[in-house]
Amino acid sequence: METIEKTQTAITDSDLSELIKAATKESHVRAENTELMLSYQRGDVSLQQYQLLLCSLYKIYEALEEELDRNASHDAVAPIYFPQELGRLESIGKDLEHFYGQDWKEKITVPAATLRYAGRLREVGRDHPEYLVAHAYTRYLGDLSGGQVLGRITQKSLGLRNGEGLSFFSFPGVSSPNLFKQLYRSRMNSVELTEEQRNGVLNEAVLAFELNVQVFNELQDSVSRVSETETEVRQRHTQHKQNTTTTAGDAACESLQSSSSLMPRFLRALLGVFVVLAVGMAYAF
């Protein structure tokens, strides 16, 4: 890999990395303030949320990295092509195998917003390879920055030990994330683009963030729907038990009242005990 010393050049407002940063500022804030990301920041992460997120990330990186590989020799892609240092697909596959087993590809669920994101990456790789610069920048540098914090939060929230299920957040080929990001930005800024192409890359960077927001929102909606369904099932089950108990108790009490005048006090008390036991069994099941 190119030495970092060669990349210590001044960054100006006209550099592509700075232009993307400015163009995506509002979208970046929106992405960080989605309900899913806010839950992460609070440390309120469920295993289901994390698994669904991994499923989406796999499809996104599958499309991104296959298109980067296919366009590796393109003038705009070659400078920012770091498959050994940045490749995420194999790592996500390991995490999914940890949670779903060896047949994880047959079990994963992928929301529609994720498929739209992957579809856009395929379209860009085919028609405008230079736009891949925007997608690679927003994903990889985000993973090297905030992704490290999210990794620690995920590990603590889910109690994952020995890094199992957390390969996505690990970059063994990058010894210093901060220095590597300097190198990456320098390589980005060296890409030669026409004004039209540069504007296209900036617009694509904004779209990349919007696509991420859509994925986050749909993942959160999916989790919420599942949670609501589970709650409704529990409520119906509880109501059924209560109705069964009430019916059993009322019937038994009516029987007691109709026959109380004919029973000695001891027998009435004994029958009362059986009614209590019957009610308790109804709750037990």
Side-chain angles (χ1 to χ4, degrees), residues 206-254:
V206 174
L207 178 59
F209 271 101
E210 293 303 316
L211 290 169
N212 275 286
V213 168
Q214 292 174 21
V215 169
F216 292 159
N217 287 338
E218 188 161 353
L219 287 175
Q220 185 61 43
D221 289 344
S222 297
V223 172
S224 298
R225 285 196 298 271
V226 170
S227 298
E228 290 173 359
T229 301
E230 291 176 347
T231 300
E232 290 174 359
V233 170
R234 285 196 296 269
Q235 289 176 342
R236 287 199 298 270
H237 186 58
T238 300
Q239 185 64 43
H240 174 72
K241 290 192 295 185
Q242 290 175 342
N243 292 340
T244 302
T245 299
T246 301
T247 301
D250 290 346
C253 286
E254 290 176 2

Side-chain angles (χ1 to χ4, degrees), residues 25-270:
K25 184 177 181 179
E26 182 179 344
S27 298
H28 197 167
V29 171
R30 287 189 59 226
E32 289 181 340
N33 285 278
T34 58
E35 188 174 350
L36 182 65
M37 287 297 101
L38 290 175
S39 295
Y40 255 99
Q41 294 168 31
R42 293 192 301 266
D44 184 17
V45 184
S46 71
L47 180 59
Q48 184 186 37
Q49 282 176 318
Y50 182 52
Q51 288 175 323
L52 287 175
L53 179 60
L54 285 175
C55 292
S56 285
L57 288 174
Y58 183 84
K59 298 304 293 185
I60 291 168
Y61 276 103
E62 180 182 50
L64 175 60
E65 295 182 357
E66 286 181 0
E67 293 307 318
L68 287 172
D69 290 343
R70 195 163 64 85
N71 291 281
S73 61
H74 188 279
D75 290 344
V77 175
I80 52 93
Y81 183 62
F82 292 96
Q84 297 302 316
E85 293 83 359
L86 298 178
R88 298 291 82 205
L89 197 60
E90 183 178 348
S91 298
I92 301 172
K94 289 180 180 178
D95 292 338
L96 289 170
E97 183 174 346
H98 171 73
F99 291 114
Y100 291 98
Q102 292 186 345
D103 58 343
W104 59 268
K105 288 187 178 182
E106 302 173 8
K107 298 178 180 178
I108 62 174
T109 301
V110 182
T114 300
L115 296 178
R116 289 195 297 272
Y117 192 166
R120 178 56 184 174
L121 290 167
R122 302 289 189 190
E123 181 181 355
V124 162
R126 181 184 66 246
D127 300 333
H128 297 283
E130 66 274 13
Y131 292 2
L132 290 172
V133 174
H135 287 283
Y137 174 80
T138 55
R139 284 249 48 104
Y140 288 129
L141 264 65
D143 296 337
L144 281 171
S145 302
Q148 301 307 292
V149 176
L150 294 180
R152 290 192 291 271
I153 293 174
T154 303
Q155 182 174 23
K156 182 177 180 180
S157 299
L158 302 182
L160 299 173
R161 299 179 180 179
N162 303 320
E164 294 182 344
L166 296 167
S167 296
F168 169 69
F169 300 106
S170 177
F171 288 81
V174 178
S175 57
S176 172
N178 288 332
L179 292 178
F180 186 86
K181 284 186 289 186
Q182 291 179 25
L183 169 64
Y184 195 92
R185 291 190 182 98
S186 176
R187 291 287 197 89
M188 270 186 63
N189 296 334
S190 72
V191 174
E192 295 184 3
L193 299 170
T194 65
E195 183 177 356
E196 181 180 0
Q197 288 175 326
R198 177 168 293 203
N199 289 335
V201 169
L202 295 180
N203 290 333
E204 194 67 26
V206 174
L207 178 59
F209 271 101
E210 293 303 316
L211 290 169
N212 275 286
V213 168
Q214 292 174 21
V215 169
F216 292 159
N217 287 338
E218 188 161 353
L219 287 175
Q220 185 61 43
D221 289 344
S222 297
V223 172
S224 298
R225 285 196 298 271
V226 170
S227 298
E228 290 173 359
T229 301
E230 291 176 347
T231 300
E232 290 174 359
V233 170
R234 285 196 296 269
Q235 289 176 342
R236 287 199 298 270
H237 186 58
T238 300
Q239 185 64 43
H240 174 72
K241 290 192 295 185
Q242 290 175 342
N243 292 340
T244 302
T245 299
T246 301
T247 301
D250 290 346
C253 286
E254 290 176 2
S255 177
L256 275 175
Q257 291 172 355
S258 63
S259 58
S260 60
S261 60
L262 303 176
M263 289 184 182
R265 181 175 299 175
F266 172 76
L267 290 179
R268 290 203 302 272
L270 183 60

